Amino acid sequence: MKYCLSVALLLLSCFATADITYVPQVKDSTLPAPQQVLGFTVGQWHARHDQIQRYFEQVAQSSNRAQLEVIGYSHEQRPLLQLVISSERNLQRLEHIRSQHVAAARSGKERQADAPVIIWLGYSVHGNEPSGANAALLLAHYLAAADNDEVQQWLDNAVILLQPVLNPDGHDRFALWANMHKGAAPVADPQHREHNEPWPNGRPNHYWFDLNRDWLLLQHPESRARIAQYQQWLPNVVGDYHEMGTNSSYFFQPGIPSRNYPLTPQRNFELTAKLAGYHAAAFDQAQQLYYTEESFDDFYVGKGSTYPDIQGSVGILFEQASSRGHLQDSINGPLSFAATIQNQLTASLSTIRGAVAEREALLSYQQEFYSSARQQARGDKIKGYMLTETADSSRLAALLDVLQRHHVEVLQLTRDWQDDDKKFVAGSSYYVPLQQPQYRLIKAMFSTEKTFPDNTFYDVSAWTLPYAYNIAFTALGREPGKSQLTAQWLPATANQLLPEGAYAYAFDWRDQRAPLLLQALLAEQLQVRAALDDFTAQTHAGNVSLTAGAMLIPAALQQQSDWFARLQRVQQQFNLPLYAISSGLTVQGSDLGSHKFTPVTLPRVLLLAGPGINSTEAGEVWYNLERLAGISPSMAEPQRLRRLDLSHYSHILLPDGNYADWQDTEINQLKAWLEQGGVLWGHKRGAALLAKAGLLKATLWQPEEMSSLISADNLRYADKELLAGKQRIAGAIYQAELDLSHPLTFGITNAKLPVFKNSTLLLQPASAAFVNVALYSRAPQLAGYTAAEYIPRISQSALLLAHNVGRGRVIGMTDNPVFRGYFYGSSRLLVNALYLGSSFSTKAD
């Protein structure tokens, strides 16, 4: 019996450690192969990011064909790697090649005859799509060590930028999961735990964001580092390597022809199709299944395969069927991790082969792209866009920072200027001219299109950046004079010297950083009051007028002996103006001792996050609470609610998710907590749960009711996808009308607020007075596609409802206020709920 068991274990061990052979192989090289550094053959285990880094360091140290750069760090402080591979001669003149390449592309400078093509290969932006990252190990070894004519030709004629792991935090989360469940022999059963990751899985980054949606939005350090390199190099070809469902094969672009972004030149699609021939030839030779043109789209310009298309590159999406572990059964037979790696290696090599063969065409196209952009800009009726924001310089600065990172030129207006009946004020107005290399990108950033040839969207149909930041923008048919513009981006703000001995100190609530300043003051145990109405106070420098929401720090209420030093230290940290008020008697409005100044306390926040919750939207709330409110919330799974002591929390947040498992116990628990003074927030299905439970006095229009507004009569089976696309709101921007007198809207200066919507769930307006904080406008559609049948219903709906429950407050919002982290405008509604959520009183009955 022991003998049989030993033999069985030996066989299992041999099977688990059997050699994995990849094609092509490197022979007779002194450069260490990946398995010599890792301690295992690529594909036997999921390589961690630090192991990939260690091997790339070995390649850079041992080869004269490679240079390794750390271009940034992830949220968890993992280095973001870029291996530059080319011939020794090219690496010696790398900066010269780069600068000449960019000048030839964007400025039309003469291109040198031997100019190399720039190839960008980026892997595993989704952490649980690891085949690309592991293939990068093999690719780096092959390019750095292979001694054959083809590779030498590639290196002579190309500079290859290899980014092995675009999302190292998510990658390691998944690698740990897959490795910890690997048996002596791999288990192919799709129901095996290895193939079913726990919430939130390895796809997103540290804050559960999808980094492949962040190329344009730049909300995360991984994206900012990546785009800095992209803009520095302007690659000709971008390979974007992903994974898809296990029962698929291999996809490479072209995608669905009718779903391309309209500003992408036709020549881009021709070159994509040309390069597809090289991929097809490689997969034909390997006798591997693949397909094109039936999935995905090239519409949203904020993804890895589409961002390059709007800037003169050819972006190509690659999708490999995923083993989601080491081995998994599929309709095509057992799919091994090694097989997925091999296919990604094959596609990487075919990308290089095709790009080098089409070097001249790609370089010429990039020059033509920018040349035609300048020509189109001259013929455009719109000459540029004016951005204007007078009350919140921080929110404006956040938008300008994104534009600047994309190499979009922004000019500050130095003197007041008028266009027809619109006056633009110097110092708070910034001009984005269209006559610049990034013409097409700017048009995409500012697009407000509502109709499209194909209304089915893989991702979103609108992403207008000024709407997201709630910054007023105007399309201009003429330009300000050059003497009225300066290249200065934002004026530097000098640190304020805060005078001691004032009766009180106050700061404006309208600035995006004001909540961060408030949180820091509360953390320092300073006593703060919020103004519930506008007032004008006296200072030694003259009268100062402040709007509702302004925060007051009265000297009489402070309990810490060193409170002023704390106030001074925090103010200098955030560098926002504080006004030293000399008297409690105001010039206008309530005096400073009035009940119109309500106490503000430090929020103690519980965020529901765990199985059943939309992890992306929970992550967006988490990230924005920290970034915009300075609060790191407690997080707990919905299943644990009945075991929690809710008295620890002042606020509970319910993001989008499935709360179907909650019973009367959880609802009664929330109700009791509410009645004791808590503030309960829910959005999307979180709001629906509150309405269904009777905690939020609201009636829903369910998605099923919305879908019924669109007739399916007389449709063919072939129209099924078309109908589904019409019944969805894939992602569009709408306009809401705010009650600016309500504390939940304090700090917002315009009653018209752009919001993002990607759900057909709607709240009906409340019949009770003062409950409707925000309603959709009568003509709500600002940008993006929405079926005409939906518009009347949306225009009759409520965005935000709020009312009392006992001593507490319940707030429900139809949409996600912090979509993808860049909707700064609507995020203020959530932030206000944290600090001002108890400052209103409204009965719903």
Side-chain angles (χ1 to χ4, degrees), residues 322-496:
S322 180
S323 64
R324 282 291 189 272
H326 295 87
L327 183 71
Q328 187 172 171
D329 289 332
S330 78
I331 62 172
N332 299 314
L335 178 62
S336 70
F337 185 36
T340 69
I341 294 170
Q342 175 65 71
N343 283 345
Q344 300 285 36
L345 175 61
T346 299
S348 300
L349 294 170
S350 65
T351 301
I352 299 170
R353 182 176 296 113
V356 171
E358 303 299 330
R359 178 181 68 90
E360 183 61 35
L362 290 163
L363 291 170
S364 296
Y365 165 67
Q366 193 172 55
Q367 284 189 301
E368 293 164 7
F369 178 93
Y370 286 106
S371 174
S372 64
R374 289 188 289 270
Q375 184 177 352
Q376 288 185 30
R378 286 191 291 270
D380 200 316
K381 292 180 181 179
I382 297 174
K383 300 306 175 187
Y385 298 94
M386 190 71 80
L387 300 167
T388 305
E389 174 57 48
T390 58
D392 187 350
S393 60
S394 295
R395 184 160 36 86
L396 176 61
L399 173 58
L400 297 181
D401 178 65
V402 170
L403 296 178
Q404 185 184 58
R405 290 178 187 275
H406 290 296
H407 285 221
V408 171
E409 182 185 26
V410 181
L411 304 173
Q412 186 177 19
L413 196 64
T414 57
R415 298 201 307 271
D416 292 355
W417 183 72
Q418 189 154 337
D419 182 48
D420 293 333
D421 60 342
K422 289 190 175 182
K423 184 176 181 180
F424 301 100
V425 179
S428 58
S429 298
Y430 290 80
Y431 180 60
V432 182
L434 284 181
Q435 190 60 250
Q436 58 175 296
Q438 293 290 52
Y439 165 78
R440 289 188 179 94
L441 180 62
I442 297 167
K443 293 286 284 188
M445 289 172 163
F446 286 76
S447 173
T448 57
E449 289 294 321
K450 301 173 187 175
T451 59
F452 310 92
D454 187 334
N455 293 322
T456 302
F457 298 94
Y458 177 74
D459 201 74
V460 297
S461 63
W463 51 85
T464 319
L465 292 186
Y467 280 150
Y469 286 85
N470 195 22
I471 300 296
F473 68 106
T474 305
L476 299 176
R478 69 185 185 96
E479 296 191 299
K482 292 184 178 179
S483 63
Q484 295 174 285
L485 299 169
T486 177
Q488 181 182 0
W489 174 39
L490 277 176
T493 304
N495 283 326
Q496 177 187 6

Side-chain angles (χ1 to χ4, degrees), residues 477-686:
R478 69 185 185 96
E479 296 191 299
K482 292 184 178 179
S483 63
Q484 295 174 285
L485 299 169
T486 177
Q488 181 182 0
W489 174 39
L490 277 176
T493 304
N495 283 326
Q496 177 187 6
L497 183 61
L498 200 61
E500 194 170 0
Y503 179 87
Y505 299 87
F507 60 93
D508 198 324
W509 188 241
R510 294 175 297 174
D511 194 282
Q512 193 77 28
R513 290 181 297 157
L516 295 171
L517 172 59
L518 172 62
Q519 191 276 339
L521 293 174
L522 295 174
E524 288 283 356
Q525 300 181 318
L526 272 73
Q527 302 300 308
V528 182
R529 297 287 186 267
L532 298 181
D533 209 343
D534 301 348
F535 69 99
T536 300
Q538 303 174 51
T539 76
H540 291 300
N543 295 336
V544 58
S545 295
L546 294 167
T547 58
M551 296 295 163
L552 186 75
I553 303 103
L557 297 180
Q558 305 311 315
Q559 300 168 10
Q560 307 295 324
S561 60
D562 62 343
W563 71 269
F564 181 75
R566 299 184 185 200
L567 173 65
Q568 206 168 31
R569 182 170 62 249
V570 170
Q571 188 277 332
Q572 290 175 354
Q573 177 185 350
F574 291 97
N575 200 22
L576 285 175
L578 254 69
Y579 302 99
I581 297 174
S582 56
S583 173
L585 188 67
T586 60
V587 178
Q588 285 185 339
S590 299
D591 295 329
L592 303 190
S594 164
H595 289 296
K596 288 286 188 177
F597 291 87
T598 187
V600 182
T601 57
L602 191 66
R604 291 167 286 115
V605 180
L606 173 65
L607 171 64
L608 274 297
I613 300 297
N614 183 324
S615 63
T616 298
E617 297 205 4
E620 289 164 356
V621 172
W622 173 23
Y623 187 47
N624 281 277
L625 291 183
E626 294 194 340
R627 183 174 55 162
L628 301 180
I631 295 170
S632 293
S634 298
M635 293 186 281
E637 300 85 351
Q639 296 82 358
R640 291 176 51 215
L641 185 74
R642 64 176 61 192
R643 302 197 299 272
L644 300 180
D645 181 356
L646 299 188
S647 66
H648 287 293
Y649 310 110
S650 61
H651 293 70
I652 298 177
L653 309 181
L654 277 58
D656 183 56
N658 183 352
Y659 297 88
D661 290 340
W662 276 5
Q663 305 297 323
D664 290 345
T665 301
E666 285 85 359
I667 301 305
N668 291 334
Q669 185 184 9
L670 286 175
K671 184 178 180 181
W673 172 83
L674 259 175
E675 290 176 338
Q676 292 302 310
V679 176
L680 181 59
W681 167 287
H683 64 256
K684 295 179 71 172
R685 286 180 292 168

Side-chain angles (χ1 to χ4, degrees), residues 32-272:
Q35 60 265 30
Q36 294 175 272
V37 177
L38 301 176
F40 57 87
T41 300
V42 172
Q44 280 187 331
W45 296 89
H46 285 252
R48 300 188 312 270
H49 179 265
D50 63 291
Q51 293 172 317
I52 294 172
Q53 178 184 357
R54 187 163 71 248
Y55 183 67
F56 271 47
E57 290 170 346
Q58 286 286 324
V59 170
Q61 291 170 8
S62 306
S63 173
N64 56 14
R65 300 178 182 179
Q67 294 180 4
L68 182 62
E69 303 172 355
V70 174
I71 62 173
Y73 291 88
S74 71
H75 280 294
E76 296 178 13
Q77 294 304 297
R78 290 180 174 88
L80 302 167
L81 307 175
Q82 178 171 275
L83 190 70
V84 183
I85 304 176
S86 192
S87 68
E88 183 176 6
R89 175 176 178 270
N90 285 342
L91 290 181
Q92 289 174 348
R93 58 189 186 112
L94 193 62
E95 176 55 28
H96 173 76
I97 289 173
R98 189 202 64 79
S99 60
Q100 290 291 312
H101 173 77
V102 173
R106 282 195 170 146
S107 304
K109 298 288 181 64
E110 183 177 356
R111 175 162 47 85
Q112 294 182 349
D114 64 345
V117 64
I118 310 300
I119 304 169
W120 171 301
L121 304 176
Y123 302 93
S124 299
V125 71
H126 295 140
N128 62 358
E129 299 176 4
S131 56
N134 285 265
L137 292 162
L138 301 171
L139 181 65
H141 179 235
Y142 183 70
L143 294 177
D147 185 19
N148 60 60
D149 292 342
E150 184 180 44
V151 169
Q152 192 56 59
Q153 182 205 14
W154 292 350
L155 300 181
D156 288 340
N157 290 280
V159 172
I160 301 166
L161 308 175
L162 201 163
Q163 295 192 2
V165 188
L166 297 172
N167 176 11
D169 296 348
H171 174 88
D172 275 11
R173 190 184 312 133
F174 177 74
L176 177 63
W177 177 262
N179 288 336
M180 71 185 285
H181 291 95
K182 184 186 179 203
V187 177
D189 178 6
Q191 299 183 91
H192 176 45
R193 184 171 165 82
E194 178 183 4
H195 307 307
N196 296 275
E197 299 169 78
W199 192 100
N201 76 40
R203 178 184 176 90
N205 75 340
H206 173 79
Y207 284 100
W208 312 333
F209 276 67
D210 184 337
L211 289 179
N212 197 42
R213 304 300 187 269
D214 198 43
W215 286 68
L216 182 69
L217 313 179
L218 301 185
Q219 300 304 298
H220 296 274
E222 299 94 332
S223 305
R224 291 191 286 269
R226 182 171 67 247
I227 294 307
Q229 288 300 310
Y230 179 92
Q231 294 297 339
Q232 184 176 344
W233 274 102
L234 287 185
N236 299 101
V237 173
V238 172
D240 183 30
Y241 296 85
H242 291 259
E243 292 181 14
M244 55 183 169
T246 303
N247 290 321
S248 302
S249 59
Y250 197 94
F251 169 87
F252 50 82
Q253 289 179 313
I256 299 174
S258 62
R259 300 178 192 171
N260 294 322
Y261 192 66
L263 290 179
T264 305
Q266 179 61 32
R267 182 60 174 152
N268 175 284
F269 306 124
E270 294 170 0
L271 288 168
T272 300

